[in-house]
Amino acid sequence: RSLSKEFLKIINEIIDYIIANDKFVVTSHINPDGDNIGSSRAMCGFLKKLGKQVVYILDDPYPSDLEFLYDKVDIDKSKSSNIKSLAGYKVIAQDSGSYERICMDKDLLETSDGIICIDHHHTNGDYGFIKYIDTRASSTCELVYNIIKTYEDRFEDIIDYDIATCLYTGLVTDTGNFQYSNTEPSSYLMAADLVTRGADKNLVIEKIFQSKSLAYYKVLGQVLDNMEIIEGKISLATVSKKMLDENNINYDDIDAITPYTRDIDGVELGIFIKEKEIGEIKVSLRSKSYVDCTKLAQVFGGGGHVRASGLTIRDKSLDEARDMLRQEAVKFI
Ligand code: 5GP
Ligand code: MN
């Protein structure tokens, strides 16, 4: 997929704006994933190479399998609580489908000069004074790549080993290592270019797919044990706070269990219900080919992508949440 005139215009607008300004904040969404962290660090690296002042703010911790990106791009992750004001700073918010999901204190965010939104979510709530939103893009990393590539075409080379590895990470995690329907020809072209330019693909694969703890597999076993299949097409499984605590594993480190709910013969829709805290239940929805996950997520005030969405249910027990989802999900198959 080559860039449309319309997107090229927005990209050049962003580049011109970056050139014309000096102080930037880079941030992304809560509950960070590979695309979040990869695209943020790549954008930070780009801005630093242009000699900009860059503050990287993300209040949530990194999941342990993505910590390897910490030493990619020389920049410190900061938290809202360490910063008093963002007056004079332009915020670049990436991969965040709504204003609410931006992983930063909203009072602090309001002190900034405004937001440039770069995202690929379907349910993007309208925010930002410049918006580069392409819901067909594989990942936010692909959008950041498009920005940097366009800059390179106009000026000079930017992408080094570290930026290439960061961008490659988001591409791999958001496409499920080039499995999902959001994988376009442009994704392979981007991958080929990044690997040619030094992206450490072996490191990314080892860290993302081959470095799980034994505790993770114990929890996975318990989740598979409580999985139920409805009408052969929907699968539902839960993880309780107790299961996480007993296995001494963080909520942030179980994301990779989600695809198991979908990857069963005949199953179209996988539902993974996670008790993050007592009274705070996070749900991940995944589909293979025809269920629009955003529609089911929206029933509960959530959102995301057609094949991958999420939602939050508050003040219910795990069993109550499971019942509510079972009841709604059957309407979608
Ligand atoms: P995950 O299941 O990996 O947490 O999220 C899948 C997708 O759904 C992500 O793109 C994420 O942005 C979106 N998502 C996850 N949780 C929520 C939520 O509580 N609300 C909304 N609006 N979107 C969510
Ligand atoms: Mn993403």
Side-chain angles (χ1 to χ4, degrees), residues 10-285:
I10 296 171
I11 289 168
N12 278 308
E13 195 184 334
I14 291 174
I15 290 170
D16 292 339
Y17 192 84
I18 288 173
I19 291 170
N21 289 278
D22 287 326
K23 291 157 83 176
F24 292 92
V25 168
V26 174
T27 188
S28 189
H29 63 78
I30 53 174
N31 191 24
D33 57 17
D35 193 30
N36 167 321
I37 297 166
S39 66
S40 296
R41 297 199 85 91
M43 179 54 79
C44 288
F46 173 47
L47 293 169
K48 284 199 73 163
K49 284 202 168 183
L50 267 57
K52 308 295 173 184
Q53 272 187 56
V54 188
V55 180
Y56 172 39
I57 303 176
L58 198 75
D59 288 348
D60 281 359
Y62 274 20
S64 59
D65 60 352
L66 292 166
E67 273 168 11
F68 76 100
L69 290 177
Y70 253 136
D71 63 356
K72 303 274 171 273
V73 180
D74 177 26
I75 193 148
D76 286 332
K77 177 167 168 289
S78 194
K79 289 191 174 201
S80 302
S81 54
N82 299 331
I83 297 161
K84 294 223 158 48
S85 165
L86 293 176
Y89 281 87
K90 333 289 172 195
V91 176
I92 302 182
Q94 303 189 148
D95 203 36
S96 187
S98 67
Y99 180 85
E100 289 68 39
R101 287 178 60 77
I102 298 174
C103 193
M104 191 200 292
D105 181 79
K106 297 304 180 297
D107 290 335
L108 180 66
L109 185 50
E110 290 299 324
T111 65
S112 77
D113 288 6
I115 303 172
I116 297 172
C117 170
I118 300 172
D119 190 27
H120 69 132
H121 287 86
H122 269 267
T123 50
N124 200 298
D126 231 357
Y127 67 92
F129 66 93
I130 303 178
K131 305 177 189 88
Y132 177 21
I133 299 165
D134 181 356
T135 57
R136 286 185 55 201
S138 64
S139 54
T140 296
C141 277
E142 188 165 336
L143 304 180
V144 172
Y145 173 78
N146 290 342
I147 293 170
I148 301 179
K149 275 290 270 189
T150 306
Y151 178 90
E152 288 184 326
D153 291 345
R154 283 175 58 183
F155 302 101
E156 60 187 333
D157 277 2
I158 293 290
I159 297 174
D160 56 21
Y161 290 3
D162 284 352
I163 291 176
T165 300
C166 288
L167 291 173
Y168 193 77
T169 301
L171 181 62
V172 161
T173 54
D174 264 31
T175 60
N177 205 15
F178 307 99
Q179 285 181 71
Y180 304 147
S181 58
N182 61 353
T183 311
E184 297 271 343
S186 62
S187 320
Y188 297 107
L189 291 171
M190 171 179 164
D193 185 34
L194 292 177
V195 172
T196 305
R197 296 168 74 177
D200 194 341
K201 69 180 174 56
N202 295 345
L203 176 74
V204 173
I205 295 303
E206 184 187 323
K207 293 295 181 187
I208 304 283
F209 299 109
Q210 301 170 343
S211 302
K212 300 283 183 274
S213 65
L214 183 59
Y216 165 87
Y217 284 103
K218 301 263 188 210
V219 171
L220 172 62
Q222 290 180 310
V223 170
L224 296 178
D225 217 39
N226 74 49
M227 186 177 283
E228 72 183 280
I229 309 284
I230 303 161
E231 297 179 32
K233 291 203 164 68
I234 302 170
S235 96
L236 267 158
T238 49
V239 66
S240 63
K241 176 97 173 77
K242 189 160 168 271
M243 279 157 66
L244 297 177
D245 290 347
E246 279 175 2
N247 287 285
N248 200 13
I249 186 168
N250 286 329
Y251 169 81
D252 308 306
D253 289 331
I254 56 165
D255 273 357
I257 295 179
T258 305
Y260 285 89
T261 60
R262 175 203 55 212
D263 296 345
I264 298 170
D265 188 28
V267 167
E268 165 63 18
L269 171 65
I271 304 176
F272 186 31
I273 306 165
K274 303 163 282 185
E275 192 174 40
K276 186 174 182 185
E277 302 292 342
I278 303 299
E280 184 185 355
I281 291 168
K282 301 279 305 174
V283 181
S284 289
L285 308 174

Side-chain angles (χ1 to χ4, degrees), residues 278-316:
I278 303 299
E280 184 185 355
I281 291 168
K282 301 279 305 174
V283 181
S284 289
L285 308 174
R286 297 290 186 273
S287 67
K288 266 184 200 146
S289 62
Y290 61 88
V291 168
D292 183 346
C293 292
T294 62
K295 296 266 160 53
L296 177 54
Q298 279 161 11
V299 173
F300 298 91
H305 310 276
V306 175
R307 300 279 166 261
S309 290
L311 60 108
T312 308
I313 295 176
R314 292 185 195 281
D315 305 321
K316 298 282 179 209

